[in-house]
Amino acid sequence: MPGNAFVLSVVAPLAAAALRLAFPAEAHASAELVWVLAFVPLFLCTRHLAWRGALYGLGWSALVVLLTAGALAVRDGHALDAARAGGVILVLAGCALGAGIQADWWRRSAADRAGLVLEPGAGGVEPEWIPDRTALEYILSRQVALARRGAALTVALVEVEELHERAALAGPDAAAQAIQGLVTWLVRQSRAMDVVGLYDPETVLVVLPRTDLRGGHRFAQRLLEDVGSLPAPWDGRIPLDIGLAGHDDAVEEPADLLARCRRALEAARGLKGSAAVLYHGNPAVELVDSGMVILEPDGRLREIRRTV
């Protein structure tokens, strides 16, 4: 669970408790509306941890509500108002149940969409057969959570080089045909655990679980070679730009990993001519394989050349 989401989940119910304690003893029942802040952990924890998060969020919020009710009873010299505290907790439980059901539905939906593959012999792939951007972001968030526990993870952004310029010369359908050829190869050649989807209409996102940057480099080289040999909807071949980045301890959220990929993709575009660039985010990891093009965090670009 990202650090900022965790902090908000902890602080929001405490802020509600502080506001509730600030009301005088004769405050109207509407004072309990401050507990809307206790919904924050219910939704944030559920988003990142599914049903387990819903239970964590409910448990934390309910505990704060009970402790606050006890503090009010001691401060004002009356018995614990169990009915009012119970009512608040009941509302929180209902929200936790709804959030958990929604998260579970979304997880199943994203998993189903990610698992769709072409039938053997199919001639192409339509965009709806693979995850869209929303589903990809959800899947990537789950994979980053696994990577924080030690699993290797590499992500790649892939584009057809100068797609608009080539499509303008070859006709309006050329761009769609080129993207179709790229996605078809990726869906057919990727492992069962890999995830391929359209991050936007012209950019393909590939999530490679249990793969370090060296494995990502081998994947990119095979992609450049195989897709480059496919028939193109224009004269010549289909050149690609690929930006890759691997998870390390400095990556806090999926957006950090995607930002690294974008920087590597921009560098690949600048090389002009079917290139894959690796973002070197972890200096403790040596990238020395021949043919690697590496982007350092300071913007320097270097290539590992074969030596004898």
Side-chain angles (χ1 to χ4, degrees), residues 22 107-108 143 155 203 243 266-267:
R107 179 184 62 82
R108 293 176 185 275
Q143 290 298 331
V155 176
T203 306
E266 286 290 339

Side-chain angles (χ1 to χ4, degrees), residues 17 75 84 128 148 206 215 241 249 283 285 299 302:
R75 186 195 70 181
R84 185 175 290 188
E128 62 267 24
R148 290 195 192 98
V206 185
D241 293 323
D249 292 340
V285 176
R302 59 188 178 91

Side-chain angles (χ1 to χ4, degrees), residues 81-213:
D81 193 341
R84 185 175 290 188
V88 172
I89 292 173
L90 186 61
V91 172
L92 292 173
C95 290
L97 177 63
I101 291 173
Q102 178 69 13
D104 188 62
W105 172 85
W106 179 245
R107 179 184 62 82
R108 293 176 185 275
S109 175
D112 289 343
R113 296 177 72 183
L116 289 173
V117 296
L118 292 173
E119 293 295 330
V125 58
E126 297 297 330
E128 62 267 24
W129 284 56
I130 61 174
D132 60 10
R133 181 171 184 147
T134 303
L136 283 170
E137 288 176 344
Y138 174 81
I139 293 167
L140 184 57
S141 70
R142 306 305 299 165
Q143 290 298 331
V144 168
L146 290 174
R148 290 195 192 98
R149 296 196 283 270
L153 175 64
T154 294
V155 176
L157 288 174
V158 186
E159 290 182 349
V160 177
E161 185 180 63
E162 297 180 341
L163 181 61
H164 284 298
E165 291 82 352
R166 298 176 191 277
L169 296 174
D173 295 331
Q177 292 173 12
I179 294 295
Q180 183 180 16
L182 169 62
V183 173
T184 299
W185 186 93
L186 286 167
V187 170
R188 288 177 173 173
Q189 301 298 325
S190 298
R191 303 168 299 176
M193 71 179 73
D194 299 337
V195 179
V196 177
L198 289 175
Y199 195 68
D200 61 42
E202 298 175 3
T203 306
V204 179
L205 176 66
V206 185
V207 182
L208 302 169
R210 303 180 190 175
T211 304
D212 59 14
L213 269 177

